[in-house]
Amino acid sequence: MKIALVALNGSPLIDSRESRQIGGLETFAWSLSQALAKDPSNSVMFLVRSRRPRIATTLHQVHVDAIHEPLRDLRQSVSRSMEIDPKAGRFRIKRWSPSLLWQVPALAISKLFFTPYSEQSAIEESLQEFSPQILVALGVNETSKQIGEIAKSRGIPAFLWIQSNADLEPKLYNTSDFQDRYGVTSAVAQACMACFRSLIFQSQAQQKQFQSLEPTLRRQSKEPFQVNLIPNPVDAHRFSLGAAHPLRQGVLWVGRADRFHKRPLLALEIAKLCPKVPFQFVLNAGEADVRKQVEKELPNNVQLIDFVPNESMPERMRESRLFLFTGSPEFEGFPNVLLEAAASGTPIVSLEDFDRFLAKSGAGMAHGGDVYQASETLNRWYESETEWSTRSANGCQYVEKFHSLDAISAGFTQLAKKTISAKR
């Protein structure tokens, strides 16, 4: 069976020179691709976008293809500084930069001398060479819409794998002019959902969210949806059990610099309430003003780290005594990092729970958004070897039983085969 997964921003997982930002969606897709490829009956493609000319290679038995968009960096730089006002029919400066003096003319000249680039055409060309029997799109976004359109036009069965609770924001489907914090518009979201009939959810909470949206979506498309629940997997071979309590040091936090999703400023509040506990914040690029505020308010017990390579993250997790999580349920799906911490035997102190994972597993504790309660738990667990050992063992046992990468991969393979058979 030939399966293609498209995660255009996943190139740093293949080539660390591409970028320092690696998201949970991309990590999930790459882990799943490798697991699926272990099955000799599967041939798996992982499609990404590259800053370099198009390359195709094989890694861990996965066929990796990287489409190349000329002048992508230039276009993105210009779009961060200016935008087109469709009502006025002219450009509007959002943020002045002297670089615009050469960037805008360069883009204008490129349009005169080069064939216009079409991402959808580039994706379709790559997929056509691979000839997949199953397509997998990740999250509700422009790329998934393109994948869905390609699948419909070529008659290829396709799954839309929901990645975030924000993918199911009602305003995306009940209004015509909404745009979410990631830039996804109502038009894109509705067109995306219209392309897919088979959906995969990470959690029961997402299934419940979808149930309230389904009547609206069914009015837009008469065909029924095929709904599937597949829990997120964790690669226990990578994130294996670390050392015992006394040999570990510090509390690890990982995320982007933002105010709405990963929320490092809340993590900073907790760290300030635990002055005797050392913290490591792996703070990836995001909102510049948030980064500056974190740097300005950084207490002595927090070490700020710009970047940890993907291959080094398991060791970092195993060496930490606790893992702190401050993600927002409004925008998170099911956070892979919670599974990685649990698999590493690292107890979790979180502001919120996700699909009751912490309550069911006993791998950690959620605190209803209360930073003071979270700090109290963190201080207590950091010193208590008994409490720590119990939580550590709970997490390892739970993810091994319910979130094994091999088991999740086998479940998806079975679902994909059934889908192909039903289409014949």
Side-chain angles (χ1 to χ4, degrees):
M1 179 171 57
K2 302 183 77 172
I3 307 168
L5 292 91
V6 182
L8 293 188
N9 293 327
S11 55
L13 293 161
I14 311 303
D15 184 351
S16 59
R17 296 174 298 173
E18 283 287 332
S19 170
R20 287 189 161 194
Q21 293 194 57
I22 302 173
L25 179 154
E26 291 76 27
T27 303
F28 159 76
W30 179 232
S31 296
L32 181 62
S33 296
Q34 293 175 80
L36 290 169
K38 290 180 183 177
D39 185 335
S41 68
N42 290 335
S43 177
V44 182
M45 176 189 191
F46 186 68
L47 181 60
V48 300
R49 182 198 294 117
S50 174
R51 286 193 171 96
R52 295 168 178 78
R54 182 183 172 190
I55 59 168
T57 187
T58 300
L59 289 173
H60 305 291
Q61 300 173 279
V62 178
H63 173 75
V64 178
D65 197 359
I67 61 173
H68 172 60
E69 177 184 350
L71 305 176
R72 176 175 173 77
D73 290 345
L74 179 59
R75 289 190 179 92
Q76 286 188 320
S77 180
V78 171
S79 69
R80 284 192 290 266
S81 299
M82 58 192 304
E83 66 182 2
I84 298 176
D85 184 341
K87 294 182 179 179
R90 59 173 180 265
F91 291 109
R92 181 177 72 84
I93 301 294
K94 297 188 292 185
R95 181 182 63 189
W96 167 250
S97 169
S99 300
L100 290 173
L101 295 174
W102 68 266
Q103 289 175 337
V104 173
L107 275 180
I109 292 171
S110 72
K111 290 184 177 180
L112 293 175
F113 292 98
F114 296 99
T115 303
Y117 172 79
S118 166
E119 184 171 87
Q120 184 164 335
S121 295
I123 294 172
E124 189 162 13
E125 179 183 348
S126 176
L127 292 175
Q128 186 174 357
E129 292 178 11
F130 182 69
S131 299
Q133 296 169 282
I134 288 286
L135 281 173
V136 180
L138 302 161
V140 174
N141 48 55
E142 178 68 30
T143 299
S144 292
K145 179 179 80 71
Q146 293 171 351
I147 300 302
E149 290 171 349
I150 292 170
K152 287 185 72 174
S153 68
R154 293 188 169 274
I156 305 171
F159 291 95
L160 177 62
W161 206 313
I162 299 299
Q163 293 292 299
S164 164
N165 295 343
D167 289 341
L168 303 171
E169 164 58 52
K171 291 180 182 177
L172 285 171
Y173 307 100
N174 295 322
T175 64
S176 59
D177 57 355
F178 179 72
Q179 179 171 307
D180 72 12
R181 296 293 294 267
Y182 300 106
V184 178
T185 64
S186 297
V188 167
Q190 291 169 25
C192 181
M193 277 292 187
C195 292
F196 294 90
R197 300 273 59 84
S198 296
L199 307 179
I200 299 176
F201 298 104
Q202 300 171 312
S203 66
Q204 292 179 344
Q206 288 178 348
Q207 277 190 305
K208 289 180 181 178
Q209 278 184 275
F210 179 75
Q211 287 173 0
S212 63
L213 289 174
E214 191 168 11
T216 298
L217 295 172
R218 287 290 299 273
R219 286 197 296 271
Q220 297 167 359
S221 177
K222 303 300 182 183
E223 297 180 58
F225 288 94
Q226 300 295 321
V227 176
N228 308 278
L229 174 63
I230 299 181
N232 275 22
V234 62
D235 187 347
H237 298 294
R238 289 190 69 227
F239 291 89
S240 56
L241 181 62
H245 176 275
L247 301 176
R248 296 181 180 223
Q249 292 297 320
V251 176
L252 181 64
W253 179 94
V254 181
R256 285 189 306 275
D258 65 43
R259 297 182 187 278
F260 67 98
H261 188 175
K262 300 301 183 181
R263 308 187 296 185
L265 294 175
L266 292 180
L268 200 63
E269 286 186 45
I270 293 170
K272 289 177 181 178
L273 293 168
C274 306
K276 295 182 180 180
V277 176
F279 288 77
Q280 288 187 337
F281 280 23
V282 181
L283 187 62
N284 296 319
E287 299 173 29
D289 63 320
V290 174
R291 170 79 187 204
K292 290 179 180 177
Q293 187 173 344
V294 170
E295 292 175 342
K296 182 180 179 181
E297 298 182 13
L298 201 68
N300 293 332
N301 62 325
V302 177
Q303 177 189 6
L304 203 58
I305 301 170
D306 287 334
F307 173 68
V308 173
N310 182 58
E311 61 271 18
S312 301
M313 188 55 74
E315 182 180 3
R316 183 81 59 165
M317 191 72 79
R318 287 192 292 267
E319 292 175 346
S320 301
R321 193 171 293 183
L322 296 174
F323 184 76
L324 174 63
F325 192 73
T326 55
S328 165
E330 184 178 356
F331 295 99
E332 291 281 357
F334 187 95
N336 287 332
V337 71
L338 297 184
L339 298 176
E340 294 166 357
S344 305
T346 307
I348 301 158
V349 176
S350 179
L351 286 181
E352 307 288 352
D353 205 348
F354 296 84
D355 208 36
R356 300 191 69 249
F357 169 71
L358 297 177
K360 290 184 291 187
S361 68
M365 183 178 293
H367 298 84
D370 191 317
V371 296
Y372 295 100
Q373 288 185 16
S375 66
E376 288 178 1
T377 297
L378 195 149
N379 274 317
R380 188 172 70 253
W381 287 7
Y382 196 81
E383 297 298 332
S384 172
E385 186 168 352
T386 301
E387 184 76 51
W388 186 95
S389 298
T390 300
R391 300 289 178 175
S392 176
N394 287 345
C396 289
Q397 293 166 9
Y398 191 87
V399 295
E400 182 179 357
K401 185 175 182 180
F402 296 105
H403 294 275
S404 158
L405 181 58
D406 291 340
I408 300 304
S409 169
F412 175 72
T413 296
Q414 184 178 8
L415 174 63
K417 287 180 178 178
K418 187 184 299 183
T419 301
I420 293 173
S421 298
K423 187 171 177 61
R424 288 172 181 163

